[in-house]
Amino acid sequence: MRPFTYTGAKNKEQALQSYSPTSHYLGGGTNLLDLMKEDVERPDQLIEVASLDYKKIFQNDKGGLTIGGMLSNSETANHPEVRKNYPLLSMSMLSAATAQIRNMATNGGNLLQRTRCPYFFEASMPCNKREPGSGCGAIKGMNSLHAIFGYSDSCIAVHPSDMCVGLAALGATVEVQKPDGSTRIIAFDDFHRLPGSQPEKDTNLMPGELITAIHLERPEFSEHYYYLKIRERSSYAFALISVAAGLQLKGGEITKAGLAMGGVAHKPWKFKEVEKFLVGKKPDESIFEAAAELAMKDAKPFEGNTYKVEMGKKAIVRALSQAYARKS
Amino acid sequence: MTEMEVWNNKRELGNLSEDERKIFDQLGLNESSRRKFLKGISATSLSVWAATYFPPEVFASAAAALPDNPIKLVNEVKVNLRINESVKSLNLDSRTTLLDALRERLALTGTKKGCDHGQCGACTVLVDGKRKLSCLTLAASCEGKEITTIEGLAENGELHAIQKAFLEHDGFQCGYCTPGQICSSVALLEEAKRGEASYVTDDLREITKDLTLSEEEIRERMSGNICRCGAYNNIVQAFKEVHSSDDEMPTWEFATPEQMENAKSS
Amino acid sequence: MKTIKASGIGKPIDRIEGRLKVTGMAKYATEFPVENKVYAQAVNSTIAKGEIVSIDTSEAEKAAGVLAVLTHKNAEKLKAFEEEMPELGTTTIAPVLQSNKVHYYGEYVGLVVAETFEQATYAAKLVKVKYKEETPDIHLDKSRAKAYKPTESSDFSRGDMDAGMAAADQTLEATYNTPIEHHHPMELHAVIASWNNGKVLAYTSQQMVDNSTIVISDTFQIPKKDVRVVAAFVGGGFGSKLNTDRHVILALMASKKLGKPVQLTVTRNQMFTNTGMRQHNEQNMRIGAKKDGTLTALSHETLSHTSTFQEYQEPCGNVSKMLYKVPNNLIKHRLIPLNFQTPCSMRAPGEATGSFALESAMDEMAWKLKMDPIDFRIKNDTQIDLSEERPFSSRLLIECLRIGAEKFGWKERKMEPRTNTNGNWLIGYGVSAASREAPYKKTSSKVIISLEEGKAIATIQMDATDIGTGSYTIIAQTASEYLGIPTEDVTVELGDSNYPVTPGSGGSWGAASYCNGARAACENAIAELKRKKNIPEGEEIALADLLKQNDLTKFEAEGTAEPSEEFEKYSVFSFGANFSEVWVDKDTGMSRIKRMVNVGSAGKILNPKTAYGQIIGGLTMGVGMALTEQTKIEPNFGNFITRSFADYHAPVNLDMANVEVIFLPEEDKIANKMGVKGIGELGITSVAASIANAIFNATGKRMRDLPITPEKLIMAKLEPGVES
């Protein structure tokens, strides 16, 4: 690691005041310290914020749930309210990493996870995300793990988070503290961004902004939910493809659907059109298959990841079927 | 006295320092077996085995604090680390991870470095009772936290039930991932009591405490600790025996003479 | 809790060093308290082929705490290879930083030494290297024209392959690929190296201590007696720690220069490029058989790669020489020099990979013949090793297959793929046969017996290593057996080159060699003590009484065991059979092992508890080989794109399933006096084939390229003749 000064922030004010453009907030450290050891992240100051008091879970005034930005992933996933009303979120979180890592990783930090693209990690290879202007090694290289949606000429990396796929299906907003002490709310869909010509920016966070809370919408998929994660070993592996599926059913019809996919784009990929398509339909295999076709129709794979189109379709059908099949 | 004379003194008289006594406790050696052990260890092997058993730093809990590292450090931080119920005050490079502080500064080498990137679980320790990875934890962020390492699990020479079960069920081979596996298992016992869920839990909405974990649940929840020797099945048995108090029977057997005969004749 | 109190060989006692391991007290290489040690970090090349044009170390040298930076410009001259493309062995010198040439991505180009680990790792990133790059050879496929035959013994034939194929009713030709794999023992390769007044002490993680002293003394051209290597505990090896690699030499160079002990740990990332690997093997199989299943022809041709400066050949085809009775047989091995590090032995070199090809092809042929794959194998069993034209010392392969089939419930298997289902799962059963050579090598040891409070206690010393294999325990059991004292009264001291010489751990010879070596010392001690007092050889007398009669409180003896002439007249192998039940998700392509049965015939089992550990360890690595493990090459830069433990998927706990292991009661006295054969590599052999065969039985898809990942399964087509 490069040398850095360490600041253990005792409160929000101290954290915000300590911030400079070359510093980095430190949450659980599970991603940041790894990247610092890899020399990908090079802050000259770490401001530890994991101990700040944003660790509560409470009912918000919109009938949803607010979860603290500094709460650990495991405490969040296992919170009785989250498990009862947002089991899709719990399941997505529990599919990620390991118990040790979930005990460390914070909710805010999870949103800021950086890609696992191997070109991003290896300093000797080009990567526009790591070093803007150096090129993208993956486009003409090894792209089996890469995007099939929403990529650009400069970056085809995918977002690695599972929790964020769950959040995308559920619908949420992110609350951040601005350096001036005020707060702002970002719709979850606007939080992560597509690479465009600036792949070095994963999110729409501004410098110095600190994630303090995630607000969940009123629970709608507490009974019919499933998070499917397809990976190269049975646990402790990032997804090739993952699908978060939530259904609300009334009188044998789908009244609301949430559907998002991981491992396919620079951000969690929410299928808004498919969600609308499913509403009003009677849930059965053929509808789910039609939904899958619709979802994947615009997929544009590379040489190494054509499998993702087929896998994606099957994953959607399976996740929707599993969600539907749950006993309510 | 030369190193050899000190050693011979110990062998003949059993004169042990407080640190050495603690080490013997950890080894489970009582008075008579201590003497036997000391006699059994030959003088020629002194440097290997004496190093194995008697580095003065090994049981740092016995020493109030180690001397500060005299090296001039950039971005030095002073940290009070509470480890295995004793406080160590260290001046560290801000970059020092908890893992390196344990291994390189406190001689608590039971916690292992297997990848240094959070991808294997060998460095698992308990921080405030929860299993965490010491390789991705800065020592500077541990002020005020209670850290338990593999060296702190046995009490007065009595092994933790999980340690005993690993021994009995051969839950290891090379032993390198073992401290991490054991710390992870100890934490998992508590997670099950608290009713925490996993990805393979059938219904997340059914919240119960004091879970009895299925084999699949144990495997999923222990998947954060890689064992390249492949002792997983024995690890699962060791955990199960402590977790559910049922005897776990070996899954090996010898073919019977009858089986051998039948296999030949048919 | 049950406590098994037992002594002697054959009992499932707990590991004698186990308490050290569960308390964190066992000391691995960098855990020895060495005073004044400093820390090193190696610098790796970032091109796959070319030359270093310039190397700027000024910034690194200025960084806080830095004591030295070594590069090819200031490194001392080491012994160089005397020939082109020398063969890599376990005593091969390991010259490093000797020129500006770069042969592969990740080759060591420098070393930074600093006061602390943090300082060294940071400063290593400040070394600036400029290269003149050349186009590397990194593609097996594009470099076929460069394939060469490494040695005369790379090829073998008997009968007439073409005639055998022509005489067949049914033929098969198929190509199987196993990818680059890495050993990845959990303990990183590491060393604390001290160079003190011309004398070397290295605490280092090695499988072979004596060979390590040879490598160090040869590389530095110093007397072997001045080199001491200590490896009391080794955190896994699997072949990667057979060789003494360049990091050991680097650390010693630095220690010599600085006059301080130097600690160097190879990072997990560096373990992809600097500590060996199993290379990619492309194996072409041809089989001919009569309708009744009689094999008429079998060929096994392997194309692999080695480095551009050293030769290593994995003998994949050897298994096809000897496992079945086939009159017409052709074996070929070819190598292509590529710009990667030199491969080296990885658990069951030859057998693990070769058996995947052979035992998959046998399954394919059985399917073509509509024959049960067990019957097909039994039909072609042989008690003669046709490749050597000599009998097997013992061969219970048929027993392994039949007893395993019974235990596994093989008769429930459906011959037609895709006919056994459960919800979304396709269920398949697979079988494979395993064979692994059981070598035995000259081994010495010393026993020190003393009288303590009227009781005899003993210490065994040898330079053997315990790499997780259970050496400590089985050696104690052996001493207990041959001295007639409880195991609890035996201390075992290993892993120090000051002790009597053994062949070290590798090649599945450890158990047989170490224990026979210990036996020889114990037998000599007893014989000597009896001789002194004219006690007849056959008379039973307690060891303590024997010492008392001799008026001794302490006695030492050495002994050496080595293979007999009889041994050379036989082919000595362990045999086994693997059975797997695999469930494949029809949509996601994810496979789950549900259960496995392994039957092993490996001579006298010294300790079934530790032997079981070796088997399940092999099975687990076999599961990894079949389903998860692969190192991928970046096609444009020539580096490994799988560069961390997050990318290289060693199996986790959930990847494994219940395993039942059956040992056949056997004592092969031709193998050695104790009747012991190796088991450390038998466990991985043919596991991948049993899984691939089960996946065919489940899905009707024939997966010939490992690992069998979800993406491959989803895209694979049904085998012709399989109904969807």
Side-chain angles (χ1 to χ4, degrees), chain A residues 26-69:
Chain A
L26 173 67
T30 54
N31 191 213
L32 180 58
L33 288 180
D34 178 24
L35 290 168
M36 287 169 68
K37 288 180 181 190
E38 295 276 11
D39 206 30
V40 173
E41 295 280 7
R42 302 171 173 186
D44 64 8
Q45 180 193 24
L46 284 186
I47 305 161
E48 198 258 355
V49 294
S51 45
L52 297 186
D53 192 26
Y54 296 104
K55 298 192 175 188
K56 295 186 186 68
I57 290 189
F58 54 90
Q59 297 285 336
N60 59 38
D61 51 14
K62 300 208 174 82
L65 204 64
T66 292
I67 60 179

Side-chain angles (χ1 to χ4, degrees), chain B residues 3 55-57, chain C residues 32-38 192-194 196 203 259-263:
Chain B
E3 201 179 25
E57 310 92 312
Chain C
F32 286 85
V34 176
E35 283 183 6
N36 298 320
K37 73 177 176 187
V38 293
I192 304 175
S194 306
N196 198 349
Y203 295 98
K260 286 183 177 186
V262 172
Q263 174 169 326

Side-chain angles (χ1 to χ4, degrees), chain A residues 239-298:
Chain A
L240 295 170
I241 276 195
S242 66
V243 175
L247 295 172
Q248 193 184 51
L249 299 167
K250 215 169 184 180
E253 272 187 13
I254 299 168
T255 48
K256 176 141 191 188
L259 190 68
M261 190 174 274
V264 290
H266 196 258
K267 59 187 283 189
W269 199 251
K270 186 172 173 71
F271 297 109
K272 287 183 194 161
E273 194 185 345
V274 183
E275 290 173 350
K276 277 192 205 123
F277 165 82
L278 285 165
V279 173
K281 305 285 192 309
K282 286 204 189 317
D284 62 28
E285 180 112 350
S286 65
I287 285 299
F288 296 154
E289 278 167 8
E293 288 295 330
L294 182 62
M296 303 307 284
K297 73 175 176 4
D298 295 327

Side-chain angles (χ1 to χ4, degrees), chain A residues 183-255:
Chain A
T183 62
R184 73 173 177 125
I185 303 285
I186 308 168
F188 191 74
D189 200 30
D190 296 331
F191 185 83
H192 296 99
R193 56 187 296 285
L194 292 178
S197 59
Q198 277 188 299
E200 70 276 16
K201 283 172 63 107
D202 294 349
T203 70
N204 288 314
L205 269 190
M206 301 301 283
E209 287 184 333
L210 185 63
I211 301 170
T212 54
I214 298 161
H215 304 294
L216 299 169
E217 291 172 7
R218 189 185 296 277
E220 284 159 324
F221 308 129
S222 53
E223 287 175 357
H224 297 280
Y225 67 93
Y226 199 76
Y227 187 74
L228 176 68
K229 185 170 181 181
I230 304 178
R231 41 186 160 176
E232 288 183 328
R233 69 180 166 196
S234 54
S235 189
Y236 204 176
F238 290 93
L240 295 170
I241 276 195
S242 66
V243 175
L247 295 172
Q248 193 184 51
L249 299 167
K250 215 169 184 180
E253 272 187 13
I254 299 168
T255 48

Side-chain angles (χ1 to χ4, degrees), chain C residues 291-427:
Chain C
K291 271 187 206 130
D292 69 353
T294 307
L295 284 173
T296 60
L298 170 63
S299 77
H300 190 152
E301 298 175 56
T302 305
L303 181 65
S304 313
H305 53 96
T306 186
S307 67
T308 57
F309 57 94
Q310 238 175 348
E311 185 174 288
Y312 174 81
Q313 177 204 296
E314 180 173 13
C316 298
N318 283 5
V319 61
S320 294
K321 285 182 194 172
M322 50 62 65
L323 191 54
Y324 297 112
K325 185 163 68 190
V326 54
N328 305 298
N329 187 216
L330 176 69
I331 308 297
K332 281 187 182 177
H333 295 93
R334 294 292 178 270
L335 288 178
I336 298 175
L338 293 181
N339 289 99
F340 298 109
Q341 62 164 322
T342 314
C344 72
S345 295
M346 180 167 165
R347 202 172 197 165
E351 289 88 355
T353 43
S355 67
F356 166 64
L358 174 61
E359 290 301 284
S360 294
M362 288 293 283
D363 198 71
E364 295 205 38
M365 181 52 95
W367 160 252
K368 282 194 166 202
L369 294 166
K370 297 294 167 205
M371 205 172 162
D372 181 281
I374 294 176
D375 295 342
F376 181 43
R377 287 175 172 88
I378 289 173
K379 177 96 188 165
N380 293 291
D381 187 54
T382 174
Q383 291 295 316
I384 307 290
D385 178 350
L386 294 172
S387 68
E388 300 285 343
E389 292 178 336
R390 61 187 183 192
F392 290 107
S393 61
S394 76
R395 170 164 162 143
L396 299 174
L397 178 60
I398 293 180
E399 286 81 349
C400 288
L401 286 163
R402 287 188 175 144
I403 290 170
E406 180 73 28
K407 182 83 185 175
F408 184 77
W410 181 255
K411 63 178 189 299
E412 304 299 321
R413 171 183 181 262
K414 310 253 192 293
M415 177 72 99
E416 281 301 314
R418 303 180 73 87
T419 51
N420 188 0
T421 62
N422 183 348
N424 294 313
W425 295 103
L426 303 170
I427 299 168

Side-chain angles (χ1 to χ4, degrees), chain C residues 50-67:
Chain C
E51 285 180 5
I52 298 168
V53 175
S54 69
I55 187 157
D56 178 3
T57 58
S58 57
E59 206 186 329
E61 279 160 11
K62 273 183 268 172
V66 171
L67 303 168

Side-chain angles (χ1 to χ4, degrees), chain C residues 95-107:
Chain C
V96 59
L97 305 186
Q98 297 296 291
S99 84
N100 67 338
K101 295 266 186 302
V102 175
H103 305 87
Y104 57 94
Y105 189 105
E107 187 170 2

Side-chain angles (χ1 to χ4, degrees), chain B residues 80-150:
Chain B
N80 297 303
L81 290 176
R82 190 172 167 78
I83 298 167
N84 301 331
E85 299 182 340
S86 106
V87 178
K88 329 271 193 304
S89 218
L90 292 175
N91 289 322
L92 295 168
D93 190 312
S94 62
R95 294 171 290 188
T96 307
T97 61
L98 176 59
L99 174 61
D100 289 322
L102 291 170
R103 287 176 64 85
E104 306 301 334
R105 293 297 301 281
L106 298 168
L108 288 167
T109 55
T111 306
K112 304 303 183 195
K113 183 178 279 192
C115 73
D116 215 19
H117 288 270
Q119 296 158 353
C120 78
C123 68
T124 302
V125 297
L126 306 179
V127 179
D128 293 335
K130 296 202 170 164
R131 46 175 162 163
K132 294 192 175 181
L133 299 176
S134 59
C135 78
L136 293 181
T137 302
L138 288 178
S141 70
C142 292
E143 180 88 34
K145 291 176 183 167
E146 180 70 49
I147 294 150
T148 307
T149 69
I150 188 73

